[in-house]
Amino acid sequence: MSTPTTQAPGGRGLQGSVRQRRADPLFRVVLAVAASSVLLLLAAMIIRTSIEAWPVFAKEGIWGFLTGTEWSVGTSRSEVTGSYGAWPFIYGTLLISLIAIVFAVPLSIGIALFTNELAPNWIRRPLTSAVDTLAMVPSIVYAFVGMYFFRIEVWAPVGQRIADTPLGEVPFFSGPVLLSSYWSAANILAIMILPIITAICRDVFAQVPADEKNAAYAMGATRWEVMSKIIVPHSFSGIVGGTMLGLGRALGETLAVAVLIGSTRDMTSSVFQPGDAMTALIANTFQDAHPEAIWALLAIGVTLFFITMAVNIVARLIVARVNLRVGGGATV
Amino acid sequence: MDHRTAMARDLDHGQPPDGAPDEQAAQQHAPGTEPAHHAVHISIDQVSVRYGAFTAVRDVCFDVPRNAITALIGPSGCGKSTLLRTINRMNDLVPGATTTGAVTYNGEDIYAEGVDPVEVRRRIGMVFQKPNPFPKSIYDNVAFGPRLNGRKRDLDDLVEHSLRRAALWDEVKDKLAQSGLSLSGGQQQRLCIARAIAVDPDVILMDEPCSALDPIATLRIEELMKDMASEYTIVIVTHNMQQAARVSDLTAFFTVDMDNERQERTGVLVEIDDTDTIFTNASDPRTEAYITGRFG
Ligand SMILES: Nc1ncnc2c1ncn2[C@@H]1O[C@H](COP(=O)(O)OP(=O)(O)OP(=O)(O)O)[C@@H](O)[C@H]1O
Ligand SMILES: [Mg+2]
């Protein structure tokens, strides 16, 4: 075999420099440490909180804690004397977050489609910055505006309208409509998560290849058909992602919910009446809580953490399923 | 006058022209007959396109005969794609683009008031440079257009017919549920042709449909085009001289007209003629220079 080897000019072979070869593994180690520190931090938080909360779980049982409806706080420093059923708070959190999502997601998709596909340039820019600005407004401001304006001028009147329709016969929508309620909390959450979901939708819609849209237009699709049949389906995983981010924020939002939900200890059956939520309970009671009550609040915190995690996992499963069904490379 | 308004209404409402089915049947009964070069299908009259203040093509006039292949050739940037997109009003989607002049399709100006561009595009299909199947199954790709039109019955037959027409059926009949993106580039382009055919257009515009394909896939598409010309009017943009010579009946040569004063490069039509004439005996020296590779 006499294949002539061509040497690079200057006689350098293919081995590369020693320095580069050393730098590569070093860099990898640094990145690995950075990445694992996140996992460590997360683990430390869960373990630490769970240990503190353990006596409450031990007394009520995990199932009993999650489904119990009686929450009466004891004053002990060393043992669990009260009874701790977290269901009213879990229910409140899930209910208001769900309503918020139901309101915010379609609206966000609509706003994003409008900005990307329909709005002329002179509307697009101000609209984009307005939405982005809303995303940066602190919770306290939303809480105030909700408290002093929206719930009085908008949500309660609208709620009253709903309660006055035949729908009001259903206990869930029945009056009287109070100012502080699940309804008010859900509405402020919807407003608060709207900007982030809109921003994400806008970004994923912009990713849809022009080729695909043009192909549909060239077959005689209308703008509406291109939006509903090409852009939205193409962006499904992004929309789910944005929704989950919004849901995460809704589940965890504390201040605005604490101010608007009314914080009553018993679960009412109507959305238009006050209730309580996990974050609101913690915020409203932790300051002068006795040690055992603190443990119970930590148990709520742990529960909230696992709910958030479950939401995340479900979202990933949905996205993975859809990608499998839709994506390219079905042969693999 | 009456006739015109009736036609315009027809484009608005999406009913096929009354005469169309008969006409098509007649064509199908006589396969292999010479394409009727004299029957004008689309007539482009004084068409200019501007992007903002920039004139991309100016004053183009020519006729596209029915059931023939018309090739548009010319140097890059001379406005071939732009002109092609005026024929099915795809330029309407480009912000800032304005089209003047008239494009007459079956005797009706598609830029007339009241004409719905969506309806125009259902009659005049388009195949793009880069194969662009939807990230859906092969079946759903082909069924997409018919479904838009509200068709639910006999979809299977229509999908099979369209895929057969695009010479793809035998390769994909056992994997219709697989993603269109899992096909090879040439197959993807034929899928795009099948998809365009499925809405039953009578004109198909192709913008460099083979430029992303290897020579064998290119030949298959060319054969397909020649075969399709018995049923469809085809307008193809190509950079490949041999391709234009091989497949087309007519060739239109465009070039860039430099306006030194205004620093503008505007596309203009130099000439259009039978492909043989253009390639062997062009009347304009610029055409000959371009074809023989002596272009500036
Ligand atoms: N969407 C657009 N906005 C602004 N200018 C455009 C747009 N599309 C095309 N142009 C301009 O119009 C002119 C003609 O472009 P066009 O794409 O029609 O040329 P072409 O002949 O198809 O070129 P090629 O052979 O490279 O595809 C070019 O100068 C181009 O820059
Ligand atoms: Mg082009």
Side-chain angles (χ1 to χ4, degrees):
Chain A
M1 299 300 286
S2 60
T3 337
T5 43
T6 22
Q7 194 95 48
R12 263 184 61 199
L14 292 170
Q15 288 81 24
S17 83
V18 179
R19 239 185 78 212
Q20 272 167 8
R21 266 180 293 140
R22 292 240 172 93
D24 204 28
L26 190 74
F27 192 52
R28 201 175 304 177
V29 168
V30 170
L31 291 185
V33 168
S36 46
S37 66
V38 173
L39 291 177
L40 274 174
L41 190 70
L42 190 65
M45 275 171 61
I46 302 171
I47 293 169
R48 180 72 213 193
T49 331
S50 302
I51 291 175
E52 295 277 327
W54 192 248
V56 175
F57 285 125
K59 185 193 168 228
E60 302 286 348
I62 290 180
W63 187 246
F65 178 78
L66 294 179
T67 57
T69 52
E70 158 102 17
W71 186 273
S72 53
V73 185
T75 55
S76 166
R77 309 189 131 266
S78 54
E79 54 185 340
V80 179
T81 59
S83 69
Y84 300 98
W87 177 242
F89 313 108
I90 299 174
Y91 167 79
T93 293
L94 294 181
L95 177 67
I96 59 177
S97 304
L98 211 69
I99 297 176
I101 287 292
V102 167
F103 286 171
V105 170
L107 206 59
S108 301
I109 293 176
I111 297 173
L113 284 175
F114 178 77
T115 15
N116 281 19
E117 299 296 317
L118 299 176
N121 267 330
W122 63 272
I123 299 183
R124 179 175 311 168
R125 293 211 181 156
L127 196 62
T128 306
S129 4
V131 170
D132 292 349
T133 310
L134 280 179
M136 292 185 292
V137 173
S139 315
I140 186 73
V141 176
Y142 282 108
F144 262 69
V145 179
M147 176 105 174
Y148 292 110
F149 170 66
F150 280 123
R151 66 173 186 165
I152 301 163
E153 306 285 339
V154 185
W155 301 328
V158 170
Q160 191 60 56
R161 288 273 170 82
I162 298 174
D164 288 343
T165 64
L167 211 59
E169 304 296 322
V170 186
F172 186 73
F173 293 110
S174 62
V177 177
L178 301 181
L179 285 180
S180 289
S181 60
Y182 291 119
W183 177 246
S184 294
N187 275 292
I188 198 69
L189 284 184
I191 295 177
M192 292 174 77
I193 64 179
L194 186 86
I196 180 78
I197 304 180
T198 306
I200 290 178
C201 286
R202 234 171 29 210
D203 287 352
V204 295
F205 292 166
Q207 303 282 317
V208 177
D211 267 0
E212 246 174 72
K213 292 193 269 181
N214 284 337
Y217 279 124
M219 268 183 282
T222 59
R223 278 187 190 273
W224 163 248
E225 286 163 342
V226 169
M227 290 191 270
S228 64
K229 302 226 159 68
I230 302 290
I231 299 179
V232 170
H234 192 106
S235 312
F236 183 82
S237 45
I239 295 173
V240 172
T243 304
M244 291 307 138
L245 217 64
L247 188 55
R249 180 154 186 209
L251 291 170
E253 173 53 37
T254 307
L255 202 58
V257 173
V259 165
L260 284 162
I261 201 162
S263 298
T264 41
R265 288 297 153 81
D266 45 11
M267 218 181 352
T268 42
S269 60
S270 169
V271 268
F272 299 128
Q273 279 151 40
D276 215 339
M278 302 166 85
T279 51
L281 175 77
I282 298 175
N284 286 336
T285 60
F286 84 98
Q287 269 172 331
D288 33 37
H290 294 275
E292 70 159 298
I294 295 277
W295 304 336
L297 293 181
L298 286 171
I300 294 248
V302 173
T303 311
L304 189 56
F305 174 82
F306 280 105
I307 290 176
T308 318
M309 207 163 75
V311 163
N312 224 313
I313 291 171
V314 169
R316 270 165 208 280
L317 288 179
I318 295 174
V319 169
R321 245 188 101 88
V322 169
N323 282 349
L324 205 67
R325 193 157 52 80
V326 161
T331 39
V332 287
Chain B
M1 182 61 207
D2 257 326
H3 178 63
R4 255 190 83 107
T5 30
M7 291 283 285
R9 203 173 297 131
D10 156 40
L11 266 188
D12 293 343
H13 293 114
Q15 300 299 322
D18 287 338
D22 291 345
E23 226 170 286
Q24 258 182 11
Q27 281 153 17
Q28 278 162 0
H29 284 160
T33 44
E34 267 301 304
H37 273 209
H38 45 274
V40 174
H41 200 178
I42 294 168
S43 170
I44 291 162
D45 187 18
Q46 293 280 322
V47 165
S48 303
V49 182
R50 278 177 209 89
Y51 294 110
F54 164 70
T55 306
V57 285
R58 188 190 331 119
D59 291 342
V60 175
C61 300
F62 69 93
D63 288 344
V64 177
R66 187 182 290 274
N67 293 3
I69 302 180
T70 305
L72 313 184
I73 62 170
S76 192
C78 68
K80 305 178 296 292
S81 304
T82 299
L83 187 77
L84 196 72
R85 286 196 302 261
T86 61
I87 301 178
N88 64 346
R89 293 193 61 169
M90 283 295 278
N91 268 343
D92 292 22
L93 301 168
V94 179
T98 48
T99 308
T100 53
V103 177
T104 316
Y105 160 78
N106 286 339
E108 180 183 355
D109 182 4
I110 63 167
Y111 283 92
E113 213 171 300
V115 171
D116 184 357
V118 167
E119 212 42 64
V120 171
R121 294 183 203 125
R122 285 184 186 174
R123 313 285 177 77
I124 305 179
M126 190 165 208
V127 174
F128 297 79
Q129 178 168 3
K130 199 171 132 255
N132 56 354
F134 300 126
K136 301 175 190 288
S137 72
I138 292 169
Y139 186 100
D140 288 342
N141 261 282
V142 182
F144 184 88
R147 280 180 181 144
L148 284 185
N149 298 344
R151 177 157 176 166
K152 295 200 179 70
R153 295 169 55 235
D154 305 328
L155 262 182
D156 291 358
D157 290 343
L158 181 61
V159 168
E160 176 175 344
H161 173 261
S162 307
L163 285 168
R164 278 191 193 282
R165 202 72 197 77
L168 187 61
W169 175 251
D170 290 332
E171 288 155 71
V172 300
K173 61 171 184 271
D174 298 323
K175 47 177 184 178
L176 292 175
Q178 277 184 25
S179 169
L181 298 170
S182 67
L183 299 173
S184 75
Q187 289 173 326
Q188 286 189 16
Q189 197 60 305
R190 275 179 282 146
L191 178 61
C192 292
I193 293 174
R195 186 175 65 177
I197 291 174
V199 288
D200 197 24
D202 59 0
V203 179
I204 298 179
L205 311 175
M206 301 186 174
D207 194 348
E208 302 185 44
C210 302
S211 67
L213 306 181
D214 68 67
I216 293 177
T218 299
L219 274 182
R220 293 210 58 171
I221 303 255
E222 287 179 8
E223 273 160 27
L224 175 60
M225 279 191 276
K226 280 193 263 188
D227 186 42
M228 283 166 58
S230 61
E231 242 179 288
Y232 303 94
T233 299
I234 297 176
V235 184
I236 175 181
V237 170
T238 178
H239 269 290
N240 181 333
M241 273 338 115
Q242 286 83 30
Q243 181 167 67
R246 279 192 301 258
V247 300
S248 70
D249 302 294
L250 264 83
T251 299
F253 173 65
F254 291 77
T255 194
V256 178
D257 192 22
M258 270 298 280
D259 183 333
N260 286 326
E261 255 171 61
R262 297 174 52 197
Q263 288 290 309
E264 256 195 12
R265 303 164 51 86
T266 301
V268 289
L269 174 66
V270 176
E271 61 179 319
I272 177 166
D273 213 326
D274 283 342
T275 298
D276 290 344
T277 314
I278 290 281
F279 277 86
T280 56
N281 193 15
S283 50
D284 194 296
R286 289 174 292 177
T287 312
E288 205 200 328
Y290 182 73
I291 285 167
T292 55
R294 281 186 281 111
F295 181 78

